């Protein structure tokens, strides 16, 4: 009987290689997924790719029949399930359930990915995975440097113009903040290989770290830089404590470590000066000394203040998952408290707080933010407890760095939104799965693999999750197809309004754009940007009533000063001056400095005086 059980465990362990292979492939390819001809070139393609990749991982889990160790009602895994249930229930009762539902799909998706990761995230697998991820991020780091200097022309905007300079995406990642976050995260975890790896691994890790640190410097993401420095100091303190406690003397290796740190620091300062991050830090310090916190924080500080006032109105249950963008606009534009705070001028509106704790509190209420802190804090506390008793240097260094990596994520959540992007969340889940696997131990994993009763429940859960994810994947694929049509429509609308063509040619461009937008709307009517584009195309064709209707739909989904000014222009074309003035006033209430709205108001006054 023992022999049969052993053979079953070994067979199960071998088949799990398919799951591990799919996970590594997914995490390595994810940063490179882009749709350069689409409207949303980076976020949507990565989200759709994530859905299909996680569906494949869930199916592989079903095929292998992997099971999880039994966990109690007060375990961290039970807390994850409770959090998922809370978000689902909150979505059903929120003020905007249809909009919150889309966000809940992402939450469910990554919860399924986490539970597929838990049984297979062994330390050996994690090390291979992170070295592979570091290589992929290193390529993106090299692209970041080339893009910064204008040497790569692949990344273009919807008009075909090459994007360069500070607004450049980090490689093919698509967002400079996401790029900086991942460059810093990978650099932090590579410390393990520099300290514990064999000579060849150390050389490889050093090369990859240099590339990722260069990408971080050229992305000039101050939040990620500050988080990496803080976490590096934490690791340094624990590493010294471990070395002194273990050898009872000041080890020679620490001397070599400090020599390496001094060398790395010198090179880092040189690269920082070349990339402009040093001058950017000095500029932020000067602005802070003058009390110009809004500019110093890139507009974040007033958004934090307004969000806190929104929280004070609904502190217990929040306003609904992923509803912050709409709520923030109307709180800012429609309340006295909102209008007293000055925001940085921008044509759109703030869709994110740039602070995940505040945004989760505003959307999911106090229980939501407590759940978030518990999901972060429990793995850290349990890991620290285990680390105090750990005797293996390999386990101590590896799991210690994973623990510090969660601290890195928590710091970034203060001025970024890494929990709200499909690009960043999978890597966080890989870290958490590694820590939970460490707490479980290999014996519990092997026992679960041999327990077919538990495995049946796992298959049922995986099957239900797979069906749900398949539906989401089909919806996402339709959205990706619509995104390509949107990209072409943007180009056509811009040509129609450029003034370079005859009226007949401009009408032809606008008609073609409308046909593509109609096709996109039939496939994915939940994409808000297509309604704004349809409104612009109708304006170019002189169909003002239809344009106003489309702008109204866009304003309901993505309110901003830009969309409302366009809506007011359509009203003026219909000579509905009262509605036009009301709409422009709302746009100016959000951003009193928005020049297009102010120009539209002056034009309206001229029309009314005639």
């Amino acid at each position: 009987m023992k022999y049969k059980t052993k053979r079953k465990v070994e067979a199960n362990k071998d088949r799990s290689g398919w799951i591990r292979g799919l996970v590594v492939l997914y995490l390595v390819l994810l940063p490179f997924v882009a749709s350069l001809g689409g409207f949303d070139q980076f976020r949507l393609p990565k989200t759709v790719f994530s859905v299909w990749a996680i569906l494949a991982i869930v199916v592989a889990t079903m095929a292998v029949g992997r099971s999880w160790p039994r966990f109690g009602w007060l375990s961290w895994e039970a807390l994850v399930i409770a959090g998922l249930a809370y978000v689902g229930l909150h979505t059903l009762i929120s003020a905007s359930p249809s909009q919150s539902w889309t966000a809940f799909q992402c939450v469910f998706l990554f919860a399924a990915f986490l539970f597929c990761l838990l049984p297979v995230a062994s330390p050996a697998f994690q090390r291979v995975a992170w070295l592979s991820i570091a290589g992929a991020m290193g390529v993106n780091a090299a692209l970041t440097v080339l893009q910064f200097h204008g040497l790569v022309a692949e990344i273009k905007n919807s008009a075909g113009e090459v994007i360069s300079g500070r607004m450049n995406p980090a490689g093919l990642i698509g967002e400079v903040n996401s790029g900086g976050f991942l460059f810093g995260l990978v650099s932090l975890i590579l410390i393990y290989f520099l300290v514990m790896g064999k000579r060849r691994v150390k050389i490889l890790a050093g090369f990859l770290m240099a590339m990722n640190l260069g990408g971080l410097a050229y992305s000039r993401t101050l939040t990620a830089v500050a988080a990496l420095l803080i976490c590096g100091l934490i690791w340094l303190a624990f590493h010294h404590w471990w070395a002194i406690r273990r050898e009872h003397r000041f080890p020679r290796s620490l001397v070599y470590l400090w020599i390496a740190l001094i060398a790395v620091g010198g090179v880092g300062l040189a690269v920082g000066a070349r990339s402009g991050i040093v001058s950017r830090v000095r500029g932020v310090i000067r602005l802070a000394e003058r009390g110009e916190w809004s500019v110093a924080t890139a507009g974040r500080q007033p958004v934090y203040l307004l969000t806190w006032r929104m929280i004070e109105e609904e502190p217990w249950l929040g306003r609904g998952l992923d509803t912050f963008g709409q709520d923030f606009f109307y709180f800012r534009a429609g309340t006295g408290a909102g209008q007293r705070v000055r925001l940085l001028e921008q044509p759109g509106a703030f869709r994110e707080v740039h602070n995940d704790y505040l945004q989760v509190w505003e959307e999911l209420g106090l229980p939501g933010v407590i759940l978030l802190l518990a999901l972060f804090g429990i793995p850290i506390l349990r890991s620290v407890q285990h680390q105090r008793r750990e005797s293996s240097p390999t386990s101590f260094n590896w799991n210690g760095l994973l623990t510090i990596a969660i601290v890195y994520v928590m710091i970034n959540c203060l001025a970024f939104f890494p929990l709200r992007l499909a690009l960043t969340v999978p890597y966080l889940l890989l870290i958490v799965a590694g820590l939970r696997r460490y707490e479980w131990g290999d014996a519990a994993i092997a026992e679960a693999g041999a327990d077919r009763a538990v495995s049946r429940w796992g298959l049922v859960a995986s099957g239900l999750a797979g069906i749900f994810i398949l539906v989401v994947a089909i919806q996402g694929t339709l959205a990706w197809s619509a995104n390509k049509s949107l990209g072409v429509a943007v180009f056509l609308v811009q040509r129609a309004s450029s003034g370079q063509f005859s009226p007949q040619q401009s009408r032809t461009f606008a008609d073609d754009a409308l046909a593509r937008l109609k096709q996109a709307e039939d496939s994915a009517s939940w994409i808000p940007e297509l309604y704004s584009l349809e409104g612009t195309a109708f304006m170019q064709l002189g169909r003002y009533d239809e344009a106003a209707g489309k702008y109204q739909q866009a304003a309901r989904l993505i309110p901003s000063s830009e969309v409302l000014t366009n809506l007011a222009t359509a009203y003026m074309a219909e000579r509905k001056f009262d509605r036009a003035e009301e709409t422009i006033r709302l746009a100016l209430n959000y951003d009193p400095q928005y020049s297009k709205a102010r120009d539209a108001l002056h034009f309206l006054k001229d029309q009314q005086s005639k």
Side-chain angles (χ1 to χ4, degrees), residues 20 78 135 183 195 203 210 223 294 312 355 363 365-366 387 443 448 488 513 558 584 600:
R20 295 187 176 97
F183 293 143
V195 174
I203 294 173
T223 304
S294 179
E312 289 178 327
N355 183 306
E363 293 182 352
L366 185 60
Q387 291 292 87
V488 178
I558 49 170
I584 293 175

Side-chain angles (χ1 to χ4, degrees), residues 204-221:
L204 175 62
F207 175 72
L208 293 176
M209 179 180 282
M211 294 182 68
N212 280 280
L213 287 175
L216 175 60
Y218 273 86
S219 73
R220 297 192 291 178
T221 307

Side-chain angles (χ1 to χ4, degrees), residues 337-353:
Q339 293 175 31
R340 283 192 293 270
V341 177
R342 183 176 180 179
L343 299 180
L344 288 183
E345 180 182 358
Q346 60 169 359
F350 281 94
R351 316 303 303 172
E352 310 282 353
V353 184

Side-chain angles (χ1 to χ4, degrees), residues 31-63:
F32 296 100
V33 177
S35 179
L36 300 182
F39 178 80
D40 184 342
Q41 298 178 336
F42 302 103
R43 282 199 190 185
L44 179 62
K46 288 178 171 60
T47 301
V48 177
F49 177 74
S50 291
V51 176
W52 282 106
I54 292 173
L55 177 61
I57 293 167
V58 169
V59 171
T61 301
M62 294 172 59

Side-chain angles (χ1 to χ4, degrees), residues 306 310 313 319 325-341 343 559 561 564 582-592:
L306 286 176
M310 293 169 66
E313 290 190 355
R319 300 167 186 260
Q326 294 175 341
D327 295 334
F328 181 81
F329 180 88
Y330 289 111
F331 183 86
R332 158 68 174 172
T335 66
Q339 293 175 31
R340 283 192 293 270
V341 177
L343 299 180
S561 295
L564 290 175
E582 179 184 352
T583 304
I584 293 175
R585 295 291 184 189
L586 185 60
L588 287 173
N589 283 346
Y590 180 85
D591 186 358

Side-chain angles (χ1 to χ4, degrees), residues 260-571:
L261 287 175
I262 293 171
V264 169
V267 174
L269 286 175
V271 174
R274 175 67 174 168
S275 67
I277 193 172
V278 174
S279 60
R280 187 161 185 257
V281 170
R282 290 174 179 169
V284 169
I285 293 173
R286 285 195 296 268
L287 289 169
E289 289 174 345
R290 295 200 298 263
E292 300 179 22
W293 286 102
S294 179
V295 182
T297 59
R300 289 171 169 81
Q301 183 252 5
V303 178
Y304 295 165
L305 294 176
L306 286 176
T307 304
W308 180 249
R309 292 178 182 177
M310 293 169 66
I311 291 171
E312 289 178 327
E313 290 190 355
E314 293 285 346
W316 303 112
L317 292 180
R319 300 167 186 260
L321 187 64
D322 203 34
T323 60
F324 171 80
Q326 294 175 341
D327 295 334
F328 181 81
F329 180 88
Y330 289 111
F331 183 86
R332 158 68 174 172
T335 66
Q339 293 175 31
R340 283 192 293 270
V341 177
R342 183 176 180 179
L343 299 180
L344 288 183
E345 180 182 358
Q346 60 169 359
F350 281 94
R351 316 303 303 172
E352 310 282 353
V353 184
H354 286 77
N355 183 306
D356 263 330
Y357 306 109
L358 289 177
Q359 186 152 348
V360 168
W361 197 339
E362 192 275 336
E363 293 182 352
L364 294 177
L366 185 60
V369 76
I370 291 174
L371 276 168
L372 176 62
L373 293 173
L375 291 173
F376 276 143
I378 290 175
I380 293 176
L381 293 175
R382 297 300 297 269
S383 176
V384 170
Q385 290 175 352
H386 285 291
Q387 291 292 87
R388 293 178 61 186
R389 301 188 298 268
E390 183 60 66
S391 59
S392 167
T394 301
S395 297
F396 178 87
N397 280 277
W398 178 249
N399 294 290
L401 270 173
L402 292 184
T403 306
I404 296 172
I406 296 185
V407 177
Y408 172 86
V409 176
M410 294 182 71
I411 295 173
N412 274 275
C413 285
L414 290 169
F416 179 41
F417 41 96
L419 306 185
R420 312 185 70 83
L421 291 175
L423 175 62
T424 51
V425 173
Y427 303 97
L428 169 60
L429 296 181
L430 182 63
I431 294 169
V432 173
L435 286 177
R436 298 305 299 165
R437 171 64 185 249
Y438 173 63
E439 182 174 343
W440 283 352
D442 292 335
I445 297 295
E447 181 182 352
D451 188 346
R452 302 311 298 174
V454 177
S455 180
R456 291 191 191 98
W457 285 107
L459 285 173
V460 171
S462 298
L464 294 175
I467 294 172
F468 180 85
I469 295 172
L470 178 61
V471 174
V472 177
I474 293 173
Q475 292 178 342
T477 303
L478 292 174
W480 197 347
S481 175
N483 181 63
K484 296 178 181 178
S485 298
L486 278 171
V488 178
V490 170
F491 175 72
L492 292 171
V493 168
Q494 288 175 337
R495 288 174 71 86
S497 60
S498 65
Q500 300 176 357
F501 304 94
S502 67
Q504 183 60 38
Q505 288 175 313
S506 296
R507 289 182 61 87
T508 301
F509 289 137
D511 282 328
D512 192 1
L514 275 177
R516 294 178 184 276
L517 290 168
K518 177 61 177 174
Q519 181 183 7
E521 187 177 352
D522 292 338
S523 299
S525 60
W526 58 88
I527 298 179
E529 289 82 5
L530 68 87
Y531 298 110
S532 182
L533 285 170
E534 283 181 314
T536 302
F538 278 127
M539 287 291 292
Q540 292 165 347
L541 293 172
R543 297 159 63 177
Y544 305 124
D545 181 62
E546 293 171 283
K550 293 300 180 180
Y551 283 138
Q552 287 172 354
Q553 287 180 278
R556 283 194 294 268
L557 294 171
I558 49 170
S560 67
S561 295
E562 183 179 25
V563 171
L564 290 175
T565 301
N566 291 338
L567 176 58
T569 303
Y571 286 149

